[in-house]
Amino acid sequence: MNLFADIRALTVDALDALVADGVLPAGLDYANVAVEPPRDAAHGDMATNAAMVLAKPAGMKPRDIAEALAARLLADGRIATAEVAGPGFLNLRLEPGIWAGLVDGILSDPDYGRGTLGQGVKVNVEYVSANPTGPLHVGHTRGAVFGDALAALLEYAGYDVTREYYINDGGAQVDVLARSVYLRYLEAHGQEVQFADGTYPGDYLIEVGEALKDKVGDAYVDEAEEVWLEPVREFATERMMDLIRDDLKALGVEMDVFYSEKSLYGTGRIEAAIKALEGKGLIYKGTLEPPKGKLPEDWEPREQTLFKSTDFGDDVDRPIMKSDGAWTYFAPDIAYHYDKVSRGFDQLIDVFGADHGGYVKRMKAAVAALSDNAVPLDIKLTQLVKLFKNGEPFKMSKRAGTFVTLRDVVDEVGADVTRFIMLTRKNDAPLDFDFNKALEQSKDNPVFYVQYANARAHSVLRKAADMGVKDPVTPTLTDEAELKLARTLAEWPRLVEIAAKGHEPHRIAFYLYDLASDFHALWNKGNDRPELRFLNESDPLATAAKIALPKAVSVVISSGLGILGVTPVEEMR
């Protein structure tokens, strides 16, 4: 059930009728015809831009189209008024019974709002993808929450979604991890060690060093690096990934696929990807121009193997192989995305930290080239998170040594609060996370405000059941506060589609706050006006009609929180 889609379909039918009557010319494109809430709620329940977008191709004045369309729409029993506004917008009011029918529809359909926009399109959402060198930090937390909510949103909108984590275990940083673990291993054997600059001194590696000792005894003590580097690297990576999986689980994040960067090396996968580009004439030997601005002292022109990424919108062509024959960091990333394309995904989404902004154009160019522009890649950047507690910046984690971990945040406020707060800003906007505000029981705390609305709704339903009223009946909605709440409920399917199309899960959090606000407003109004209260002990039938609205609110809030990965609460404790 999608009331906005229904009225848009009615509008299109009316336009077709105007074409059949010769009022409008044939062949008009309705793609940009929209039915949406008016900017000012006082103007009506819905508004359509049909006359505005069709005026030029029809060769007519917008108001003339709007007036003809209004007459057609008024013939339908759902439309109470249709008024032309401004240059040609058409404001619509629906018959009051429509809103009661909407509430009935929500209560009869537990999947209200779940869409078919995706039509089973296969989407790969890659997120987190942190180096396996330590616990996840607060920046990873935001990326994890955003990516997970986006994946859930797309599933809710009908897409076939795969959640994927790219393990960056093929680079030099994993060798540094191995050397750091080896120092903890020696420490476990009673030796004094020194952590050089560039190693990982965090306490989280103490238990890894001890576990390595338990596994191999003293086999690596005083041995040369070439003896122990590879096995320690594999052992440390596996232990770090276990830690990362546990961190993600604490946040309520579960991946479908963990893909190892290391699996690309020595398997011919990188070579196959580059060969595919070479076959398209996109690989060549060349010398790049020097960087713009101040020239680095160590820069010198040298011939490299380059990818023609400028053919696909990049600023410069990108090296894929160094002059010494080694692959650049870009080459395995090309191979990884080639693998995604080869697995049959129709769309790719990567969630990167803000520091990867310079990588966006080259990755989009690579995927466009590899897929012949058939597979779109959307890269979402998550901006920084600043943590505050008691008005002061939140201190770094002693266990991690250098940063605040995901576990620090979850242990402080819980996974549900963490997830909701992380989605109260658009992904590319900085986020201030105040631990005191996150636990505050007030309207200023959005997660509390939404959960409180759901708890209030369930409280009403429990009390009604105690009165012997278990099932709601069709409501009669007359007061403006009731109608406003119903209008907001009507927007849910439309909001899901908008958020899914834009890859913007924060819109769900914003919508839930607005819905909760409308519900609390009606609740407060009932404190002054008894006829608006949900419970009437002397009139079970009136109660059965009144409880339909809070039950519908709970249905939608629960669905929305489910997308965000937040557990709805039925009682506030």
Side-chain angles (χ1 to χ4, degrees):
M1 182 181 185
N2 185 333
L3 194 53
F4 280 88
D6 291 346
I7 300 304
R8 185 187 184 278
L10 172 63
T11 302
V12 168
D13 288 344
L15 292 169
D16 283 340
L18 293 176
V19 171
D21 290 346
V23 177
L24 291 176
L28 294 175
D29 183 359
Y30 301 149
N32 293 321
V33 172
V35 173
E36 54 196 7
R39 291 182 181 178
D40 185 345
H43 293 163
D45 299 324
M46 298 181 182
T48 180
N49 63 350
M52 300 296 293
V53 300
L54 297 178
K56 186 174 182 180
M60 297 174 61
K61 294 179 180 179
R63 286 190 67 91
D64 291 343
I65 298 176
E67 288 169 359
L69 179 59
R72 277 284 176 182
L73 291 175
L74 285 169
D76 189 278
R78 289 168 289 182
I79 307 300
T81 65
E83 298 177 351
V84 181
F89 286 102
L90 188 57
N91 293 323
L92 307 175
R93 288 191 187 278
L94 305 186
E95 288 292 342
I98 296 297
W99 302 112
L102 169 78
V103 175
D104 273 350
I106 295 172
L107 299 185
S108 64
D109 181 10
D111 286 331
Y112 172 70
R114 189 178 292 274
T116 58
L117 173 71
Q119 298 182 329
V121 168
K122 293 181 65 176
V123 182
N124 180 290
V125 184
E126 180 210 331
Y127 53 109
V128 190
S129 298
N131 293 336
T133 54
L136 298 177
H137 59 61
V138 68
H140 298 135
T141 306
R142 189 174 190 189
V145 169
F146 173 81
D148 207 48
L150 175 55
L153 169 62
L154 292 173
E155 280 184 334
Y156 195 81
Y159 292 86
D160 179 1
V161 179
T162 296
R163 297 162 169 83
E164 188 151 321
Y165 185 116
Y166 182 53
I167 306 171
N168 291 279
D169 56 356
Q173 78 280 351
V174 190
D175 289 340
V176 176
L177 171 68
R179 295 184 184 106
S180 304
V181 168
Y182 183 71
L183 291 173
R184 291 299 188 187
Y185 165 76
L186 295 178
E187 194 175 59
H189 280 282
Q191 296 189 23
E192 290 191 12
V193 298
Q194 292 291 326
F195 284 87
D197 289 344
T199 55
Y200 304 119
D203 291 350
Y204 62 90
L205 291 182
I206 293 175
E207 61 190 54
V208 181
E210 291 172 346
L212 181 61
K213 176 189 173 185
D214 292 341
K215 181 179 180 181
V216 303
D218 60 1
Y220 300 148
V221 175
D222 298 329
E223 288 288 348
E225 183 174 290
E226 58 264 25
V227 173
W228 55 260
L229 183 63
E230 184 59 29
V232 172
R233 173 184 169 126
E234 290 186 10
F235 179 84
T237 300
E238 184 178 332
R239 293 301 291 252
M240 286 299 98
M241 286 309 302
D242 286 342
L243 174 63
I244 287 170
R245 286 186 179 93
D246 285 345
D247 284 349
L248 291 174
K249 187 176 181 180
L251 192 61
V253 174
E254 291 190 16
M255 296 291 178
D256 299 313
V257 175
F258 284 89
Y259 192 105
S260 166
E261 176 191 353
K262 191 178 177 184
S263 70
L264 298 169
Y265 291 90
T267 58
R269 295 182 181 182
I270 297 177
E271 291 79 1
I274 302 308
K275 187 176 180 180
L277 293 175
E278 201 168 19
K280 300 172 188 286
L282 297 172
I283 302 296
Y284 69 101
K285 297 277 189 179
T287 302
L288 292 174
E289 294 290 325
K292 294 180 180 179
K294 187 177 180 181
L295 195 66
E297 293 181 3
D298 60 349
W299 186 88
E300 59 182 41
R302 59 189 183 279
E303 188 178 68
Q304 296 173 287
T305 303
L306 303 170
F307 161 52
K308 287 185 180 179
S309 55
T310 51
D311 284 5
F312 298 88
D314 201 359
D315 299 322
V316 295
D317 290 343
R318 302 293 178 176
I320 56 158
M321 182 179 285
K322 303 173 187 176
S323 53
D324 64 1
W327 296 116
T328 65
Y329 286 117
F330 187 35
D333 288 334
I334 292 175
Y336 173 47
H337 284 77
Y338 184 48
D339 184 84
K340 289 183 184 179
V341 171
S342 301
R343 279 186 270 157
F345 290 107
D346 303 302
Q347 296 180 19
L348 305 180
I349 301 172
D350 290 350
V351 180
F352 291 166
D355 56 339
H356 285 69
Y359 230 55
V360 173
K361 287 186 177 180
R362 72 188 71 177
M363 282 316 314
K364 286 192 171 187
V367 172
L370 290 164
S371 70
D372 295 321
N373 287 305
V375 179
L377 168 64
D378 186 17
I379 297 180
K380 293 294 187 182
L381 301 177
T382 55
Q383 281 292 342
L384 299 177
V385 180
K386 293 181 180 179
L387 301 174
F388 297 90
K389 189 176 183 182
N390 299 323
E392 300 289 335
F394 192 65
K395 299 292 184 180
M396 68 183 65
S397 165
K398 291 181 180 178
R399 184 165 181 264
T402 55
F403 52 81
V404 177
T405 67
L406 178 155
R407 284 299 183 106
D408 292 330
V409 179
V410 172
D411 288 348
E412 195 74 21
V413 298
D416 286 342
V417 172
T418 299
R419 291 182 68 117
F420 198 106
I421 297 296
M422 288 285 179
L423 292 164
T424 54
R425 291 289 182 275
K426 196 168 185 286
N427 59 284
D428 57 3
L431 173 70
D432 289 346
F433 193 114
D434 188 316
F435 287 104
N436 299 90
K437 287 284 186 185
L439 295 174
E440 188 177 272
Q441 296 191 352
S442 76
K443 185 178 180 180
D444 294 332
N445 177 1
V447 62
F448 168 79
Y449 198 58
V450 172
Q451 292 281 35
Y452 188 35
N454 194 56
R456 271 183 158 178
H458 277 274
S459 173
V460 167
L461 298 174
R462 284 194 300 272
K463 290 177 180 178
D466 291 342
M467 293 166 49
V469 181
K470 295 184 179 180
D471 297 315
V473 298
T474 301
T476 301
L477 309 178
T478 55
D479 188 82
E480 180 54 33
E482 295 173 321
L483 292 168
K484 187 173 190 297
L485 182 55
R487 291 188 200 105
T488 303
L489 288 169
E491 288 186 44
W492 174 236
R494 174 180 173 273
L495 186 280
V496 168
E497 285 198 2
I498 292 172
K501 285 178 181 177
H503 299 166
E504 296 178 323
H506 71 278
R507 286 181 177 271
I508 304 298
F510 289 6
Y511 169 84
L512 292 178
Y513 186 87
D514 289 342
L515 178 61
S517 181
D518 289 343
F519 180 66
H520 290 308
L522 176 57
W523 181 288
N524 293 335
K525 200 169 184 179
N527 290 334
D528 298 324
R529 293 176 53 188
E531 72 274 15
L532 294 179
R533 293 173 189 170
F534 301 116
L535 303 173
N536 185 338
E537 294 187 6
S538 63
D539 191 342
L541 186 59
T543 296
K546 288 293 186 183
I547 64 172
L549 205 46
K551 188 168 184 178
V553 167
S554 178
V555 168
V556 174
I557 286 180
S558 296
S559 295
L561 290 177
I563 291 172
L564 304 185
V566 176
T567 304
V569 300
E570 297 184 5
E571 289 184 89
M572 301 301 289
R573 300 182 185 278

